[in-house]
Amino acid sequence: MDKKQTIYSKGKSPRSKWYPFEVIGVLLVCMSLIILLFAPNSLAQFFNTIIGEVKLIVVDVFLTSEVGVAIIVSVIFGRLLERLGFTDGLIRLFVPVMKWLKINPAVIIPSVYNILGDINAAGKISGPILVKARATKAEQKIAIATMIQSPQSFATLVLGLITLSIFGIQAFPLVVFSIFLPIIVVPFILSKTIYRDTKRVELEHLPRFTPKTKFLQTIFSSAKEGVELLLLIIIPAVAAVFFFIGALKFFGIWSVIESSLSSFLTFISIEPTTGIISILAAPTLAVAQLAEVASTVDPRLIVGSFVLANSGLPLSVIFGQIPVTWAETSDLNEKEALKAALIGLLFRFVTAWVLAAFLTPFLVN
C-alpha cells in the first residue's frame, strides 16, 4: 500500500496520462456544447436522417414486406432439404470434382443452399456442416467467397430470367456461365492463389450430414431459428450499416459516393440505377426494376446488372450479416469472414464485367 502511494505521489498514476480516446472525448464534448448553443436543431436533424435511412430498410423491407418472411421460410426450406438428405446428395455428386481439385467438397454447400433459399440461411446451415466435414479455415473462406457468386434468393434468379426474356437475351448460357460455373472455377482459383490450405477428402472420410430429428420437430425448430436469425442477427447488422449511410448522407458525403459508384458501374457495363439498388438495398428489387428499363439500353448493361444482382449483395449482407453469422457457426472470426466475402464480391464484379463485355454479343436474339 505504501509503495502504491509513493508511485502516485511522484505523478506516475495511470490516470494522470492522457490517452487518445480521452482527447477525442473532450473534443466531442466541446463540439456538442457548441452545436447545442449555435445550431440546436442540427443534432435532431442528424438523428432524423439516420432514423429515416434505418427505418427504410429495417421496417419497410425486413419487417413489413415479404423479405423478412422469405428469410424465415428459407430457413425452414433449407432445414427440410437437409433433413431429406439434400446435403449428402450434393456431397456425393461433387466429391469426384472436388477430389480432382484437392478441395473439401463441402465448400460448394453454401452456394447451393444460397440459390435455393437465402444467403443468411445458407450461412446458418452450412457453417456447422463445414466444421463437421473438417474443412480447413482456408476452405471455409473459399466457401464464403464462392457463396457470393450465387443469387441470395431464388426469387432474384426467377425475376432475372423474366427480365432477360423481355430484352430478348438468351438465359441458359448466361445462367451456366454466371451462376453454376463459378461454383467450380472460384474454389479452383482461390485454392491455387490466396487460400492454399486445402486437402483432398475421400467420401468414406466424410460423416453423413442428414440429421435424425423428427420432421415435425425440424419444421418448428427451423421456424424458430429463422425468426431468431431475422431479429437477432440480420436486422441489427442492417441497422448498423445503414446508420453509417444515414450519417454520410447528413454530412453531404453520400451523394458524392453514390455519383462515383454510378460512374464506376457504367464503366464496367452494369446499369447504374439497378446496380446501386443491388449494392445498397436488395438485388431482388433491382432485377424487378430492371424490367422497366427502356428497351434502348445497351444489352451489355442488362447482362451486367443480372450477373451483379445474382450475388451475395447488398453490402449490408457483406459487412453485417455474413461476418456475424459465420463467426457464430464456423471456425472463422468476423474479420476472416468479411475478408473472404469481399474477395468473393471482387470476383463477382469481374465476372459481371467479363460476361457483359464478351458474352453479350452471343446472347442477344
Side-chain angles (χ1 to χ4, degrees), residues 137 144 322-323 326-327 330-338:
K137 292 185 73 171
I144 294 176
I322 287 178
W326 283 83
S330 70
D331 294 328
L332 305 177
N333 58 39
E334 293 185 358
K335 184 178 179 181
E336 291 170 330
L338 175 59

Side-chain angles (χ1 to χ4, degrees), residues 9-46:
S9 64
K10 293 180 180 181
K12 295 183 179 180
S13 170
R15 278 309 262 130
S16 64
K17 182 181 178 180
W18 282 75
Y19 282 84
F21 64 82
E22 291 178 305
V23 177
I24 295 172
V26 170
L27 291 174
L28 287 174
V29 171
C30 295
M31 288 176 59
S32 300
L33 292 174
I34 293 171
I35 291 172
L36 289 174
L37 182 62
F38 295 100
N41 293 330
S42 60
L43 195 58
Q45 292 172 357
F46 175 72

Side-chain angles (χ1 to χ4, degrees), residues 132-202:
K132 188 177 180 181
R134 297 188 295 277
T136 65
K137 292 185 73 171
E139 288 169 333
Q140 293 176 39
K141 295 173 186 177
I142 290 174
I144 294 176
T146 306
M147 180 181 68
I148 303 299
Q149 316 309 308
S150 303
Q152 52 114 323
S153 74
F154 192 63
T156 304
L157 177 59
V158 173
L159 290 173
L161 295 177
I162 295 172
T163 300
L164 293 177
S165 66
I166 292 173
F167 287 91
I169 298 172
Q170 297 181 47
F172 181 75
L174 183 57
V175 170
V176 171
F177 279 96
S178 66
I179 296 176
F180 293 109
L181 195 58
I183 294 178
I184 305 298
V185 173
V186 171
F188 173 73
I189 294 175
L190 290 177
S191 67
K192 301 302 180 184
T193 54
I194 303 174
Y195 302 128
R196 298 185 180 183
D197 184 21
T198 61
K199 56 186 178 181
R200 178 185 299 179
V201 178
E202 301 290 343

Side-chain angles (χ1 to χ4, degrees), residues 216-287:
L216 196 59
Q217 182 183 351
T218 299
I219 294 173
F220 283 101
S221 61
S222 60
K224 179 183 177 181
E225 184 181 8
V227 173
E228 291 175 346
L229 178 66
L230 175 64
L231 298 179
L232 301 181
I233 296 179
I234 296 175
I235 287 180
V238 168
V241 171
F242 277 83
F243 168 88
F244 289 104
I245 292 176
L248 292 172
K249 183 171 289 188
F250 175 79
F251 290 111
I253 303 173
W254 183 248
S255 59
V256 178
I257 297 175
E258 197 170 18
S259 176
S260 302
L261 184 58
S262 178
S263 301
F264 170 72
L265 291 174
T266 304
F267 177 74
I268 61 173
S269 300
I270 295 173
E271 201 283 318
T273 303
T274 54
I276 290 175
I277 293 173
S278 291
I279 293 171
L280 298 180
T284 305
L285 178 60
V287 290

Side-chain angles (χ1 to χ4, degrees), residues 30-219:
C30 295
M31 288 176 59
S32 300
L33 292 174
I34 293 171
I35 291 172
L36 289 174
L37 182 62
F38 295 100
N41 293 330
S42 60
L43 195 58
Q45 292 172 357
F46 175 72
F47 278 103
N48 286 336
T49 302
I50 292 177
I51 290 170
E53 287 296 316
V54 174
K55 175 186 176 297
L56 183 65
I57 190 73
V58 170
V59 178
D60 298 346
V61 174
F62 285 97
L63 288 180
T64 60
S65 76
E66 295 178 355
V67 176
V69 177
I71 291 172
I72 298 172
V73 171
S74 66
V75 175
I76 299 173
F77 185 60
R79 288 301 186 189
L80 281 175
L81 288 176
E82 182 186 37
R83 179 63 183 84
L84 291 169
F86 185 80
T87 305
D88 282 312
L90 275 177
I91 290 294
R92 282 194 173 272
L93 290 175
F94 278 90
V95 158
V97 178
M98 293 301 171
K99 181 180 177 182
W100 176 64
L101 297 178
K102 298 180 180 180
I103 305 174
N104 193 312
V107 299
I108 54 89
I109 291 174
S111 298
V112 179
Y113 272 109
N114 196 19
I115 298 172
L116 295 174
D118 175 85
I119 194 166
N120 307 289
K124 191 75 172 178
I125 296 171
S126 304
I129 290 175
L130 284 161
V131 174
K132 188 177 180 181
R134 297 188 295 277
T136 65
K137 292 185 73 171
E139 288 169 333
Q140 293 176 39
K141 295 173 186 177
I142 290 174
I144 294 176
T146 306
M147 180 181 68
I148 303 299
Q149 316 309 308
S150 303
Q152 52 114 323
S153 74
F154 192 63
T156 304
L157 177 59
V158 173
L159 290 173
L161 295 177
I162 295 172
T163 300
L164 293 177
S165 66
I166 292 173
F167 287 91
I169 298 172
Q170 297 181 47
F172 181 75
L174 183 57
V175 170
V176 171
F177 279 96
S178 66
I179 296 176
F180 293 109
L181 195 58
I183 294 178
I184 305 298
V185 173
V186 171
F188 173 73
I189 294 175
L190 290 177
S191 67
K192 301 302 180 184
T193 54
I194 303 174
Y195 302 128
R196 298 185 180 183
D197 184 21
T198 61
K199 56 186 178 181
R200 178 185 299 179
V201 178
E202 301 290 343
L203 179 63
E204 56 268 22
H205 294 157
L206 290 171
R208 297 191 184 275
F209 302 100
T210 304
K212 297 181 179 180
T213 54
K214 297 179 181 179
F215 279 98
L216 196 59
Q217 182 183 351
T218 299
I219 294 173

